[in-house]
Amino acid sequence: MSAGRASPQVKNFEAWDYVVFAALFVISSGIGVFFAIKERKKATSREFLVGGKQMTCGPVALSLTASFMSAVTVLGAPAEVYRFGASFLLFFIAYAFVVIFTSELFLPVFYTSGITSTYEYLQLRFNKVVRYAATLIYIVQTILYTGVVIYAPALALNQVTGFDLWGSVFATGIVCTFYCTLGGLKAVVWTDAFQMVVMVVGFLTVLIQGTAHAGGIENVLDYSRNGSRLEILDFDVDPLRRHTFWTIAIGGTFTWLGIYGVNQSTIQRCISCKTVKHAKAALYLNLVGLWVILVCAVFSGLIMYSHFKNCDPWTAGIISAPDQLMPYFVMEIFASMPGLPGLFVACAFSGTLSTVAASINALATVTFEDFVKSCFPNLTDKLGTWISKGLCLLFGVLCTSMAVAASFMGGVVQAALSIHGMCGGPMLGLFTLGIVFPFVNWKGALGGLLTGITLSFWVAIGGFIFPAPAIKTKPLVLSTDQCIQLNMTESLSTAVPPVIVNRPPLAETWYSLSYLYYSAVGSLGCILAGFLISLVTGPEKGENIQPQLIRPVGNLFCFWSKKCKTACWCGVQHDGETIHEDLENDNAWKQGTESALQNGFKDNQDHLPGYNPYEKSYTNLAAEKVTHL
């Protein structure tokens, strides 16, 4: 906290607040215990990690929404709207594009490949070096992101109740690790479904009470319009602007596609569905959930601005960070209504518990599938299950510890999306190279990944050290005219950020790029480098690639010409029409895939397709059988 700024005015919980808040943890833990008992006779790592692939679309859809609409959304999104306006609503467009691309492009390939870890695909399509590199990047990305979403609600709890900040962090980590370790993916999915309901109810109580305090929805819209909060459509193409139509619609699509399209946490729950149709239905139902939470968050920000329009508690020094605006607002409007502040904090923690549990489960899955099984291919089911549980415990500890670093990352929304952009963008580019472009070889894939990571980390770290000037971020005016004077001169003087004199030339251009474009930079850099390296080192031969592993989008644009459609496959054997239809019923392919992955780590398996005797490596480890439909 800056010197001279007033300490946050903490308002303590009452008994009913503690009851409501504690109920969230008790029920979440109870779900984990229930599935641990219910599934005790199905003691296999497959059952623990992907629910035996028997999940239906409903709970999976709720789980997906809850996991990615975390406390980052509950706390950070309303604060973004409060400070920068309702242009945040344009994520409505980005979410739609993301779900369409995920369900129609990426998911069918992952589901029909019979894989458990998405990074198994990279070994089937390229080789194990690419797989390991991507897995390590994913592990780092997820631990960093999970640290942010653990810290955010702990900060909220500290703000509104005075609870010890780090005690709250560790309580969150312990509960998540507990039910994730006990119940596996089924416990995670069903706990997420419950927590999604809590999130919606928490938001609705804030919306209803906040609107009543403002005198009705008409007053909220009038106040917001007068404060320039309703200027949503800004078509400025300047990529340095923080939030415009283009940065959110394009940059947001790249960012969230990296989160949804190729992220293990998302794909793992989709492939846990009993059929690919259920998986697609879960994604589209999840889109509705994303829209509902987004609208709730945006209107919460507008209502909060209407309440604080004449006395901004952040500028006045009453609170120490923008992310504390929402909990402070809740304590103001629910001051005479015991239990409801506890419901809001439970709402924030619901998002966190679901996100952290999903991350822990996904981290355990990729580590077990990509590293443990490769080193010990003959593990028994019982031992594999215990190792999976141990990995959940390990990553629970690591993610909780990472929350300490999150306290230095600034606003939770920007920090979270920046992390996804830095790591998720290059990963999106890597999977796009493998699925969409058959001619890309493993050298192009690995070189593209390293190039994308370098570019995205360069711009993101530069932007963190040299923040963009206010003329580009364009925060809207906040007033303190009617605040109670608490040494206002001193408070306001400390709120002005220090001026950095020695800013390098790149600080005004490259480092000032909108944080939403970090993912696009990493993804496009990866794809371009992958193209060039593959062309220089020799394109991949089509006969080395199984048709189930690719999905050339060029077919969509060459529908009038069978010759052009065939050219898009770059020599891959296919019938051009139904290669990707109903593959979920093709057990032979899935069994062949599993066999290839198990054998692919042995040096003497040179009979598999794609073996290069000169490099002594595999460019593709798919089974020899090619299924023609």
Side-chain angles (χ1 to χ4, degrees), residues 342-360:
L343 179 61
F344 168 76
V345 175
C347 169
F349 265 85
S350 290
T352 291
L353 291 174
S354 60
T355 302
V356 174
S359 297
I360 291 172

Side-chain angles (χ1 to χ4, degrees), residues 13-281:
F13 267 15
E14 297 185 16
W16 280 109
D17 297 315
Y18 287 108
V19 170
V20 172
F21 179 66
L24 171 70
F25 284 87
V26 172
I27 295 174
S28 298
S29 300
I31 293 173
V33 174
F34 170 78
F35 279 101
I37 297 173
K38 182 175 182 291
E39 306 292 327
R40 66 186 184 279
K41 294 182 180 180
K42 301 177 182 178
T44 66
S45 59
R46 181 183 178 86
E47 188 73 30
F48 183 81
L49 295 174
V50 292
K53 291 198 172 185
Q54 292 300 313
M55 301 299 294
T56 55
C57 60
V60 171
L62 291 173
S63 175
L64 287 170
T65 305
S67 293
F68 290 99
M69 294 290 102
S70 63
V72 171
T73 301
V74 177
L75 301 180
E80 287 281 317
V81 174
Y82 178 86
R83 296 175 61 203
F84 298 99
S87 59
F88 205 82
L89 191 63
L90 292 173
F91 275 103
F92 194 94
I93 300 171
Y95 293 159
F97 281 130
V98 165
V99 169
I100 291 171
F101 278 118
T102 301
S103 62
E104 304 303 329
L105 178 60
F106 295 108
L107 175 62
V109 175
F110 292 136
Y111 194 95
T112 58
S113 296
I115 59 178
T116 301
S117 163
T118 54
Y119 307 102
E120 293 177 42
Y121 168 83
L122 296 175
Q123 184 174 346
L124 291 169
R125 174 64 177 84
F126 299 114
N127 61 18
K128 59 185 178 182
V129 176
V130 178
R131 176 184 182 178
Y132 288 162
T135 301
L136 290 173
I137 291 170
Y138 171 77
I139 290 173
V140 172
Q141 168 196 358
T142 305
I143 292 176
L144 287 173
Y145 173 73
T146 307
V148 173
V149 298
I150 291 178
Y151 175 74
L155 180 63
L157 187 61
N158 174 260
Q159 169 68 22
V160 299
T161 69
F163 276 4
D164 180 75
L165 178 63
W166 301 114
S168 304
V169 167
F170 294 124
T172 304
I174 290 170
V175 170
C176 289
T177 304
F178 175 75
Y179 72 76
C180 181
T181 302
L182 278 181
L185 183 69
K186 285 187 177 179
V188 171
V189 168
W190 282 105
T191 306
D192 286 352
F194 160 70
Q195 291 162 354
M196 177 63 187
V197 174
V198 175
M199 288 177 67
V200 173
V201 172
F203 259 133
L204 288 178
T205 57
V206 172
L207 291 173
I208 294 170
Q209 183 68 6
T211 302
H213 265 254
I217 190 66
E218 295 84 2
N219 287 347
V220 171
L221 295 177
D222 287 341
Y223 296 146
S224 301
R225 188 179 297 107
N226 293 336
S228 301
R229 262 63 186 180
L230 294 184
E231 296 177 1
I232 298 175
L233 297 177
D234 181 353
F235 291 99
D236 188 347
V237 296
D238 185 356
L240 308 185
R241 291 280 306 279
R242 179 185 177 86
H243 285 166
T244 66
F245 176 87
W246 304 111
T247 57
I248 296 178
I250 298 176
T253 297
F254 272 95
T255 299
W256 280 91
L257 195 55
I259 298 172
Y260 261 68
V262 298
N263 187 289
Q264 171 67 24
S265 183
T266 303
I267 299 301
Q268 181 175 344
R269 275 170 287 184
C270 288
I271 63 178
S272 72
C273 292
K274 57 178 65 177
T275 66
V276 72
K277 291 180 180 179
H278 270 275
K280 287 186 176 183

Side-chain angles (χ1 to χ4, degrees), residues 75 130 199 264 280 298 311 320 323 333 348 362 453 469 474 540 579 616:
L75 301 180
V130 178
M199 288 177 67
Q264 171 67 24
K280 287 186 176 183
V298 169
C311 179
S320 59
D323 302 321
I333 63 174
I453 285 288
K474 290 195 173 181
E540 181 63 80
I579 193 67
K616 296 183 179 180

